[in-house]
Amino acid sequence: MAIFFHYLSILLISAVIFLLLRAYRLRRLRLPPGNLGLPFVGETLQLISAYKTENPEPFIDERAKRHGSVFTTHVFGEPTVFSADPETNRFILQNEGKLFECSYPGSISNLLGKHSLLLMKGNLHKRMHSLTMSFANSSIIKDQLLVDIDRLIRLNLDSWTDRILLMEATKKITFELAVKQLMSFDPGEWSESLRKQYVLVIEGFFTVPLPLFSATYRRAIKARREVAEALSKIVKERREEYEKGERKNDMLGALLGGEWEDDQLSNEQIVDFMVALLVAGYETTSTIMTLAVKFLTQTPLALAQLKVKSRGKKYKQNKKVKVGTGNFVYPDIMMTLQIARLKL
């Protein structure tokens, strides 16, 4: 019993010293007022709990009311300054790369990989960003993107039953499209297995980056390892094909054939780059697609005009529209987005 109290007293003293040192460091850095919360965990649990509710805003509102529109907290393993002030946010965004440097919590950077585009800096970031934009604006994308969108949407619509969760369905379509554009893979067991692992990786982004404390983060680390192994196998096979003179018009082909100052990109660099690209549009694009349907259902006028347009002579379902250098059968869903944009 005496030994137990001895170790307990040492633990309490260590905790007090840690909190005092942290408070001193906060004052020395002249950070905005705030509360760093518990050691290591900070206020991460409160933030995660808030964002699992229908209204997560009180997490920020309560602290802004107590400390001001710019306050300090501790989330995802790092001291963090929150800004709820529009002018401050505008100033930060306008001076990114000058007065401010973009960074991400350890939970995100560890899962994306050290060669991720989001974590790159300097000339390599500029070259990779330029390659991504040039590929996105190339005739390959212009000729094939809408065709792939049309085919994937029709394929998924045919598989739907009486009741579906729209958000999950759009995420599936978005991921399948990304895999097609990046690696020329059509939907199948391999892509669906990869998507399920990606879901686990993304769930680990906003957790405490300590496997001991977070089962979600442990699952994310394991899933990330499996994703990297699957992509590494594809990159290795494609590199061997490329060296034999076989070429494919996708993002992986552009990465393998790009001109670099330091020779070719390594397989690890390409894998990290592709991990980030697959993550980048997964949540955002699917959310926009879901909201388009939501707003149409809540706007009878736009929906009625859509029906008239889609059945009219001007917008027949089988009308072919020139896209790049090819023809494309204009699907109803593209007219939906066009009319929704004009009317909502």
Side-chain angles (χ1 to χ4, degrees):
M1 184 63 71
I3 296 177
F4 171 77
F5 282 110
H6 174 71
Y7 282 111
L8 181 61
S9 61
I10 292 177
L11 182 63
L12 291 174
I13 293 172
S14 299
V16 171
I17 293 174
F18 175 83
L19 293 173
L20 290 174
L21 289 174
R22 191 172 67 170
Y24 170 75
R25 181 169 175 267
L26 181 63
R27 289 194 300 270
R28 184 171 60 84
L29 293 175
R30 300 176 64 185
L31 295 175
N35 179 21
L36 296 181
L38 299 172
F40 304 112
V41 177
E43 295 187 306
T44 304
L45 299 180
Q46 293 95 312
L47 178 62
I48 293 175
S49 297
Y51 273 82
K52 287 184 177 180
T53 65
E54 295 182 355
N55 182 23
E57 294 182 3
F59 176 87
I60 296 176
D61 293 341
E62 292 172 3
R63 287 157 181 77
K65 185 177 180 179
R66 191 183 313 144
H67 305 293
S69 58
V70 181
F71 60 90
T72 301
T73 182
H74 188 288
V75 291
F76 308 123
E78 298 179 12
T80 304
V81 174
F82 264 77
S83 173
D85 180 67
E87 291 301 320
T88 300
N89 295 340
R90 186 178 295 108
F91 178 78
I92 293 172
L93 292 174
Q94 289 175 344
N95 288 278
E96 183 177 343
K98 303 173 186 177
L99 301 177
F100 300 91
E101 186 175 278
C102 181
S103 65
Y104 294 85
S107 55
I108 295 180
S109 58
N110 292 342
L111 292 170
L112 287 179
K114 61 182 178 180
H115 301 298
S116 168
L117 179 62
L118 295 177
L119 305 177
M120 287 180 184
K121 296 181 177 64
N123 292 330
L124 181 59
H125 177 271
K126 292 180 180 178
R127 292 201 301 273
M128 296 295 281
H129 185 268
S130 176
L131 174 66
T132 305
M133 296 306 297
S134 62
F135 180 78
N137 293 324
S138 68
S139 60
I140 300 171
I141 287 293
K142 292 178 181 178
D143 291 346
Q144 289 299 127
L145 181 59
L146 289 179
V147 175
D148 288 336
I149 292 174
D150 178 59
R151 182 174 56 83
L152 287 173
I153 289 177
R154 292 179 187 275
L155 184 65
N156 279 273
L157 284 173
D158 290 340
S159 68
W160 286 1
T161 56
D162 294 337
R163 183 177 183 273
I164 59 103
L165 297 175
L166 185 60
M167 187 69 170
E168 294 302 314
T170 55
K171 284 182 178 180
K172 183 174 182 292
I173 294 172
T174 300
F175 190 82
E176 290 174 347
L177 178 64
V179 169
K180 178 64 175 178
Q181 297 301 315
L182 289 177
M183 297 173 282
S184 300
F185 271 87
D186 288 318
E189 291 183 8
W190 184 86
S191 61
E192 182 60 17
S193 174
L194 188 69
R195 187 181 73 87
K196 290 178 179 178
Q197 295 300 321
Y198 255 93
V199 171
L200 297 178
V201 173
I202 293 172
E203 287 177 353
F205 281 171
F206 303 105
T207 58
V208 180
L210 298 171
L212 182 63
F213 292 103
S214 175
T216 302
Y217 189 68
R218 287 198 301 273
R219 288 194 298 269
I221 289 291
K222 180 183 177 184
R224 207 285 182 188
R225 188 160 50 246
E226 294 183 5
V227 166
E229 290 175 357
L231 293 180
S232 294
K233 183 178 179 180
I234 299 300
V235 173
K236 182 180 178 181
E237 292 174 355
R238 287 286 299 275
R239 190 183 291 277
E240 292 174 355
E241 293 174 0
Y242 184 86
E243 292 173 353
K244 293 178 182 178
E246 300 179 23
R247 305 287 191 268
K248 288 185 179 179
N249 293 325
D250 53 23
M251 189 68 208
L252 179 52
L255 291 170
L256 291 171
E259 297 181 0
W260 313 100
E261 294 179 3
D262 302 323
D263 202 12
Q264 291 182 323
L265 294 173
S266 68
N267 287 4
E268 182 184 3
Q269 287 176 308
I270 293 177
V271 167
D272 285 356
F273 185 78
M274 293 174 66
V275 167
L277 287 183
L278 283 169
V279 168
Y282 184 72
E283 293 285 346
T284 53
T285 306
S286 57
T287 300
I288 292 172
M289 292 171 65
T290 304
L291 288 175
V293 176
K294 170 183 168 60
F295 288 137
L296 275 172
T297 58
Q298 294 178 346
T299 313
L301 176 60
L303 186 58
Q305 290 178 328
L306 167 65
K307 292 179 179 179
V308 171
K309 292 288 186 181
S310 63
R311 294 169 182 169
K313 295 180 180 180
K314 187 177 180 181
Y315 290 94
K316 290 183 178 179
Q317 184 176 356
N318 293 328
K319 179 184 177 183
K320 290 187 176 180
V321 178
K322 195 74 172 177
V323 181
T325 58
N327 290 326
F328 175 67
V329 179
Y330 214 108
D332 286 347
I333 193 166
M334 298 307 295
M335 286 184 284
T336 299
L337 297 177
Q338 184 184 41
I339 294 176
R341 184 182 62 182
L342 293 174
K343 294 297 181 181
L344 298 182

